[in-house]
Amino acid sequence: MDKVGIVGFYQVKLYSDANYGRYEMIFEAVRGAIDSAGLKKKDITTAISCTNDYYDGRTISNCYTVEVGGGYMADESKVEMDGAHAVLYGLMRILSGNHKLSLVWGGSMASCFPYHAARLYETDPTWERPVAYVNDITAAGFQMRAYLEKYGVSIEDIAKIAVKNRKNASRNPLALQEAQNANITVKDVLDSEIYADPVTELMVAQPCDGVAALLLAPEKQALKITDNPVWITGVGYNQETYYLGDRDLTKSMSMELAGKMAFDAAGIKDPKKEIDLAEFFEAYAHEEVIFSEALGLVDMGEGTNLNSEIDGDIPINPSGGAIGGNPPCGTGLIRIIEAAKQLKGEADGYQVKDAKKAIASGQIGMCAQNNIVYILEGGN
Amino acid sequence: MSKLTQRKSMDYIKKQYRETRKMPGSWYLSNYKYKYNITHLQPFLKKLKEKKLVGLKCSGCNTVYYPPRFVCGKCLVKPNRWVDLRETGKVSTFAIAYLKDPETGEIQEKPMVLVHHDGADTASIAQLNPEVDFKDTYIGMPIKAHWAENPVGGLMDVEYYDLMKDDAKDLDLPED
Amino acid sequence: MGRQVAIVSAGFSEHASKRSDVNIAELVSEAVEDCLKKAPSVSFEDIDAFATGNMPGFEGSNLPELWMADWMGARNKPLMRVTTGGTTGGSVGIAGYYTVTAGLPGIDTVLAIAFEQQSQGDTSVGLANVAYGEVSLLNYLGLTYDQVGRLLSAGAAIGVAAYQATNYMHKTKIVEEDLARVVVQNRRNAAKTWWAHLKMPNLTIEQVLDTPYISFPLRYGMVCPASDGACAVLFTTEEKAKNMCDIPVYVNGVASVAHETAILGYSASGSAQIDPSEQLGAMKTSEICYQQAGISFPRKEIDYAEVYSPFPNQELMWVEKLGLFEETTAPEMYKNGVTALNGELPICCSGGVNSTNAIGASALERPAVAALQIMGKASNQVPKTVHTAIGHGWGGSLNLCTMMVMSDEPQRKWR
Ligand SMILES: [Zn+2]
């Protein structure tokens, strides 16, 4: 596939209960992204939004966001998945040759609704919803337990991931304040409230308020807009079966297939050597391990042994990841923005040295049923 | 899943399991707490209390928004100039709702209008004087705001719109 | 840069007000089966990716494709979900088009699926939710709920359409009979379409005018039903399409331009759409589509049109706004039979949305029927040969619009 440039981006500061309305937040992100590229409203020919009717409590959740979301008289559409999937649609529109600049924004306000209750409506209405025992949290419990048992990994090793991400988040000024903790210990994580054993509160990516936006342009156009674009050189997405019993929960089939597709597109043979950093949407701490194994960044079962600190072998989630703040429909998009920041050398305080190629991912569904992976490259 | 299994499973579901059960469920509205920032509405509400109408004008495209809004979708900038509006306007469109009276059970005809205020570029939803016969409503009908006796700085300060009989008098009102 | 896209097949489930014999997944599988039956050489392995969507608030299920993956044949395949309210189907079709044309490695053939089983949920709750937040704000600003209720009782889809109808009737000076004529044509056409919902082969104008008003000027007999149904359309590349069917239908133009929300703007701020029947968004949409497809004279070059019109006034309005007829002349064309099955420019020979409205699926059914008319496989096939056709969708608060221009000749702009 042809490479596509990220020419501008903006993310609002994440809050657990923001003191402003939905439209103001969307406007701030969209205007910020357009300003960051030095463009005008009329340059936007297509606008893709990402919201969810249930998360917003609004049927047709893109109906009232046309004006604030930069969609007025533009070729507009909405992807109802993760923000990273919306970027995919924006990317397709650029690759089609029909559009020269596409605006993508996504996000939601989790303070307006009980996030995990809304996610109950994603379960099978016949078998699982009536009993309500199977939901995104208990499913994560199943998966974490299965992983721990299979590879004989201790729960402390998973807690370490949460510790690392929360420490990283403390260096990211846009991360959620509640998630920023430079002095957190493994004990703190394990002693926090139990959500669904073995998942504890601090291993969960806390839903919050936030919107992010980015601008995509084809190669030629991108170089006109900025001297220093970040290139999307590969993308892959995939959905596996829903039923947890049909899946091997100790790995992520959809991530593996999505990764294959993305690596093929970007011409990456050995991800272990070629990838300099990864930004994953890990809704739960253990997902980071499973994703890095699925993408071949580390051998199967060795995920917890990888040094993924900011100065480690392959830094994972130097921004704090989703554990550093998880605005529904925006998290995957923020991962792409954070990876782009690293490649541009703009990640003040949590910059990875010599970052040239990065992975960013997004997901939806229980145990990350549907995954999307991007390969990003910096420089010209 | 192979093609055969897939096809088979479809047939299986359709032929072997004819009966489908209904599962109860609901979408609770009460759980949502919508958030709105009303900073840009405060000057407007304050003026309503003084029986004055104001709109917000976008410097980019000169569109006057009434009621005020904080972003102009055309330019994607914040409108920032307050302008005074007249109390007069026109019916830009209307529909007649058929509502059941909760007490008598009678079907009542209620004309609902979209009012286009003179000096504004947007239309807003409003109601006519209940004494106006709905058969008299037409597009372009001149109307005038009818104020509540004691305005409180809320949307009900303009109680309803009166039919305007003599519009010559209103033309003397000062312009913005 | 972009590949030529073709439609090789389209399928429908049976539509009815209550398909209580199936659940959503089974309903979808009906449409998928019908779609693949029409393209016998295509099997599930040939489908590389999926584009799906529905209106989730109406069914009480969020992201249903998660648990429906296996019924659609989407296990371990790329899948993208697009939902935009009433235009969902159209947006899903356009997403299918873009997935093929983008040329991502390994993705050539894409199945677009749109569905709705309204009988599973509470449609009125779903609709109330469209503006629930804005209404709460109105209430906070001093309007009592009683007042809000009265103002917006004409405010659900039927309400905004009523405002639009008043405007349109004012401009064209038509009477209710003209609206009823459109309904009669649609419901009679529906009687000849196997999957349609409201089939009324003997409906007359008098019968339509005999029903009470739901919201002036619209009567009960004029508005669309609420249906359960699904639709699937198979998109692929130009090269592969030739092996999959006899007459591939090439997608030459797509667009979905959004305008401001009508009646009640965001944050309850009114609307700059002073005349809801002006439809600048739809005009821009068609302009972009025709430009992409290289159509300079839509009136002459288009042989068949499927427009999204739950209400008869909209059908008249759309055919004008999309450039098929001069402004204000559409009612005359319906009177003279130009738009009938054997007319010069047949419109909505499937019965249209006016006869069948499974909300999320409706806007995909439009291009699907138009494509089948070009292939000569539609169930109420027009007698003349159709070379170029359009499928249109409408939704949101009168502000969203989708459109797809299809032809039996590829547009050679990519070369
Ligand atoms: Zn402006």
Side-chain angles (χ1 to χ4, degrees):
Chain A
M1 70 179 238
D2 298 331
K3 59 181 184 181
V4 170
I6 298 175
V7 295
F9 50 75
Y10 189 93
Q11 180 214 324
V12 305
K13 160 92 178 149
L14 304 180
Y15 295 100
S16 60
D17 190 358
N19 190 25
Y20 52 154
R22 175 187 189 225
Y23 302 120
E24 286 83 351
M25 209 174 224
I26 295 169
F27 172 70
E28 186 191 332
V30 169
R31 186 73 243 179
I34 295 175
D35 286 346
S36 76
L39 298 171
K40 292 197 178 73
K41 160 76 182 86
K42 65 172 171 20
D43 298 320
I44 310 293
T45 58
T46 180
I48 308 293
S49 57
C50 182
T51 50
N52 182 302
D53 290 10
Y54 278 75
Y55 300 166
D56 272 349
R58 288 175 168 87
T59 301
I60 326 181
S61 51
N62 61 328
C63 182
Y64 290 101
T65 58
V66 169
E67 295 96 319
V68 284
Y72 178 78
M73 290 306 248
D75 199 339
E76 189 261 4
S77 197
K78 180 190 104 188
V79 174
E80 194 173 79
M81 295 175 96
D82 184 32
H85 293 85
V87 175
L88 170 73
Y89 198 11
L91 184 82
M92 285 176 180
R93 290 194 162 200
I94 295 293
L95 289 173
S96 72
N98 288 356
H99 293 286
K100 293 276 174 282
L101 189 72
S102 93
L103 165 74
V104 184
W105 66 263
S108 191
M109 300 192 101
S111 62
C112 300
F113 68 96
Y115 174 71
H116 294 291
R119 287 203 61 178
L120 198 58
Y121 293 99
E122 289 165 27
T123 52
D124 181 321
T126 316
W127 303 112
E128 286 162 359
R129 210 181 299 168
V131 289
Y133 294 142
V134 180
N135 56 40
D136 54 321
I137 300 173
T138 52
F142 289 150
Q143 187 173 35
M144 198 187 286
R145 175 82 66 212
Y147 183 86
L148 295 178
E149 292 285 321
K150 179 164 179 186
Y151 296 112
V153 175
S154 71
I155 185 74
E156 281 79 14
D157 288 333
I158 301 293
K160 267 185 208 157
I161 306 280
V163 168
K164 178 206 70 180
N165 285 359
R166 283 172 192 272
K167 279 188 177 164
N168 286 350
S170 71
R171 299 159 81 167
N172 175 2
L174 294 179
L176 183 65
Q177 199 196 339
E178 284 81 348
Q180 294 173 322
N181 190 345
N183 306 315
I184 193 169
T185 62
V186 168
K187 191 170 178 301
D188 292 340
V189 173
L190 294 177
D191 287 352
S192 60
E193 196 189 331
I194 291 181
Y195 267 33
D197 186 70
V199 179
T200 63
E201 188 185 345
L202 294 180
M203 294 180 191
V204 182
Q206 185 189 338
C208 63
D209 299 353
V211 178
L214 64 75
L215 295 171
L216 297 171
E219 191 174 354
K220 247 191 197 166
Q221 188 84 358
L223 289 172
K224 271 186 212 163
I225 297 170
T226 165
D227 303 331
N228 186 16
V230 171
W231 302 111
I232 296 180
T233 53
V235 63
Y237 63 121
N238 204 288
Q239 171 163 321
E240 60 191 297
T241 184
Y242 166 84
Y243 297 97
L244 300 175
D246 292 3
R247 287 152 69 174
D248 179 358
L249 287 178
T250 60
K251 59 179 191 177
S252 174
M253 172 72 107
S254 55
M255 188 52 118
E256 205 179 312
L257 292 168
K260 223 180 196 173
M261 182 176 161
F263 292 143
D264 273 357
I268 288 178
K269 304 263 157 22
D270 187 357
K272 241 183 243 176
K273 282 189 193 138
E274 292 179 55
I275 300 297
D276 300 321
L277 75 114
E279 277 283 346
F280 290 135
F281 177 175
E282 75 318 359
Y284 302 89
H286 68 280
E287 285 182 0
E288 189 177 304
V289 180
I290 290 178
F291 290 165
S292 45
E293 288 175 12
L295 290 175
L297 299 180
V298 62
D299 293 333
M300 294 304 266
E302 295 291 321
T304 49
N305 300 331
L306 178 73
N307 182 357
S308 57
E309 304 278 340
I310 293 177
D311 53 2
D313 301 334
I314 300 180
I316 297 179
N317 286 332
S319 69
I323 287 182
N326 176 19
C329 296
T331 312
L333 185 48
I334 294 173
R335 301 281 72 74
I336 297 172
I337 292 177
E338 288 295 349
K341 274 187 195 165
Q342 293 286 357
L343 297 174
K344 283 170 85 105
E346 289 175 4
D348 275 344
Y350 54 103
Q351 179 67 44
V352 173
K353 266 187 205 153
D354 297 328
K356 298 224 164 44
K357 276 187 193 175
I359 288 180
S361 88
Q363 61 146 309
I364 59 164
M366 283 200 286
C367 297
Q369 190 194 343
N370 188 322
N371 277 297
I372 181 161
V373 184
Y374 288 87
I375 312 296
L376 306 173
E377 288 178 32
N380 293 320
Chain B
M1 197 189 287
S2 78
K3 178 186 165 191
L4 194 71
T5 353
Q6 187 87 36
R7 292 251 193 223
K8 255 190 188 165
S9 70
M10 276 184 195
D11 290 347
Y12 191 60
I13 289 156
K14 288 183 70 182
K15 281 168 197 148
Q16 306 292 317
Y17 292 91
R18 283 171 186 279
E19 269 182 73
T20 298
R21 297 289 161 85
K22 291 196 182 85
M23 296 297 149
S26 59
W27 183 5
Y28 294 109
L29 286 170
S30 56
N31 284 340
Y32 289 86
K33 297 184 288 285
Y34 300 101
K35 275 194 226 171
Y36 286 90
N37 194 317
I38 55 163
T39 317
H40 66 288
L41 289 169
Q42 297 296 7
F44 161 73
L45 296 173
K46 220 171 106 195
K47 287 277 182 186
L48 278 180
K49 209 170 173 181
E50 300 164 16
K51 295 197 182 183
K52 278 182 185 140
L53 295 172
V54 287
L56 249 183
K57 189 173 189 172
C58 170
S59 325
C61 60
N62 286 337
T63 306
V64 176
Y65 290 99
Y66 171 85
R69 61 168 68 169
F70 88 102
V71 169
C72 170
K74 295 174 195 173
C75 317
L76 208 66
V77 296
K78 295 188 180 184
N80 49 10
R81 284 165 55 203
W82 289 98
V83 292
D84 293 335
L85 299 179
R86 296 178 191 175
E87 291 182 345
T88 57
K90 283 187 177 62
V91 170
S92 78
T93 181
F94 69 97
I96 295 163
Y98 292 79
L99 297 177
K100 213 181 238 176
D101 190 303
E103 278 155 30
T104 60
E106 257 176 69
I107 301 279
Q108 294 176 328
E109 292 159 325
K110 303 238 181 249
M112 303 298 155
V113 296
L114 216 57
V115 173
H116 179 198
H117 258 279
D118 291 338
D121 294 305
T122 58
S124 55
I125 203 161
Q127 56 184 334
L128 286 180
N129 187 337
E131 284 161 23
V132 176
D133 188 354
F134 81 96
K135 290 189 186 82
D136 297 341
T137 321
Y138 62 93
I139 289 175
M141 184 168 79
I143 46 177
K144 187 169 186 270
H146 181 279
W147 291 95
E149 258 174 50
N150 300 311
V152 292
L155 291 182
M156 277 315 285
D157 290 349
V158 177
E159 272 184 338
Y160 49 77
Y161 284 83
D162 268 328
L163 256 162
M164 214 162 70
K165 294 204 174 70
D166 183 11
D167 51 356
K169 240 188 268 170
D170 297 90
L171 291 177
D172 299 331
L173 282 173
E175 280 235 31
D176 60 88
Chain C
M1 268 290 139
R3 298 187 288 181
Q4 176 69 52
V5 178
I7 293 175
V8 291
S9 181
F12 306 89
S13 76
E14 201 178 304
H15 288 60
S17 65
K18 281 196 176 65
R19 285 296 311 273
S20 42
D21 55 326
V22 291
N23 70 11
I24 312 176
E26 292 155 2
L27 191 70
V28 165
S29 72
E30 271 186 32
V32 173
E33 252 187 309
D34 184 42
C35 180
L36 293 187
K37 208 164 64 192
K38 289 186 186 124
S41 66
V42 183
S43 68
F44 273 105
E45 292 92 273
D46 298 325
I47 300 170
D48 303 316
F50 288 77
T52 61
N54 76 324
M55 187 106 136
F58 286 8
E59 281 151 351
S61 275
N62 191 19
L63 308 171
E65 16 310 75
L66 290 177
W67 53 269
M68 278 164 47
D70 291 1
W71 273 270
M72 301 188 291
R75 185 187 278 205
N76 296 339
K77 299 258 174 81
L79 179 145
M80 182 164 78
R81 169 179 169 84
V82 177
T83 71
T84 54
T87 50
T88 292
S91 300
V92 167
I94 292 175
Y97 162 88
Y98 275 114
T99 311
V100 175
T101 193
L104 296 178
I107 298 183
D108 288 331
T109 307
V110 175
L111 188 62
I113 306 169
F115 52 92
E116 201 74 72
Q117 193 170 23
Q118 294 186 68
S119 65
Q120 277 217 353
D122 189 340
T123 307
S124 59
V125 170
L127 274 176
N129 251 0
V130 174
Y132 199 86
E134 326 312 295
V135 168
S136 305
L137 180 64
L138 279 176
N139 177 243
Y140 176 82
L141 295 176
L143 235 49
T144 60
Y145 270 118
D146 177 47
Q147 297 285 354
V148 177
R150 282 171 61 188
L151 291 178
L152 294 178
S153 58
I158 172 77
V160 277
Y163 286 108
Q164 197 178 39
T166 324
N167 270 110
Y168 184 78
M169 290 174 78
H170 174 74
K171 268 192 278 190
T172 51
K173 309 272 180 283
I174 55 169
V175 290
E176 285 183 39
E177 231 175 65
D178 295 296
L179 298 183
R181 187 174 296 114
V182 179
V183 177
V184 170
Q185 180 186 309
N186 280 333
R187 304 263 159 95
R188 287 186 178 186
N189 275 333
K192 290 180 245 166
T193 305
W194 71 266
W195 50 269
H197 178 181
L198 278 189
K199 301 176 184 180
M200 301 182 173
N202 304 314
L203 187 71
T204 62
I205 291 178
E206 291 71 35
Q207 282 171 342
V208 175
L209 294 179
D210 215 24
T211 53
Y213 282 119
I214 185 164
S215 184
F216 177 85
L218 300 171
R219 291 175 185 275
Y220 276 97
M222 293 177 180
V223 303
C224 63
S227 323
D228 288 355
C231 175
V233 177
L234 191 61
F235 292 88
T236 191
T237 58
E238 188 179 359
E239 294 74 31
K240 288 202 172 173
K242 283 172 187 155
N243 302 323
M244 288 183 184
C245 67
D246 304 331
I247 307 175
V249 176
Y250 298 99
V251 183
N252 292 340
V254 295
S256 57
V257 175
H259 194 245
E260 260 181 36
T261 33
I263 314 297
L264 192 63
Y266 73 86
S267 294
S269 58
S271 173
Q273 275 201 57
I274 290 171
D275 172 2
S277 72
E278 195 183 6
Q279 289 300 321
L280 295 173
M283 287 161 81
K284 179 98 182 277
T285 304
S286 63
E287 193 188 307
I288 295 174
C289 276
Y290 295 145
Q291 200 182 358
Q292 285 178 3
I295 290 176
S296 331
F297 304 101
R299 230 158 285 151
K300 282 184 191 159
E301 292 177 51
I302 289 165
D303 307 309
Y304 181 84
E306 277 279 338
V307 297
Y308 190 109
S309 52
F311 315 106
N313 61 294
Q314 288 193 320
E315 186 160 332
L316 298 168
M317 186 186 75
W318 294 130
V319 291
E320 290 169 7
K321 296 296 172 193
L322 301 179
L324 303 180
F325 297 121
E326 293 279 0
E327 292 271 327
T328 74
T329 60
E332 196 66 19
M333 299 298 172
Y334 274 79
K335 214 174 194 169
N336 299 341
V338 174
T339 59
L341 186 67
N342 51 9
E344 229 171 283
L345 174 47
I347 288 167
C348 293
C349 291
S350 63
V353 182
N354 195 228
S355 310
T356 316
N357 191 6
I359 303 212
S362 287
L364 184 59
E365 278 157 14
R366 309 283 66 80
V369 173
L372 289 178
Q373 291 283 1
I374 294 175
M375 292 179 199
K377 288 182 189 169
S379 70
N380 190 19
Q381 180 67 37
V382 298
K384 70 166 186 177
T385 316
V386 179
H387 294 292
T388 307
I390 62 167
H392 157 258
W394 158 76
S397 171
L398 300 177
N399 62 332
L400 307 178
C401 180
T402 61
M403 190 167 149
M404 195 177 269
V405 180
M406 291 151 284
S407 176
D408 52 1
E409 291 260 339
Q411 163 71 31
R412 295 287 170 195
K413 65 177 165 168
W414 309 121
R415 299 279 159 89

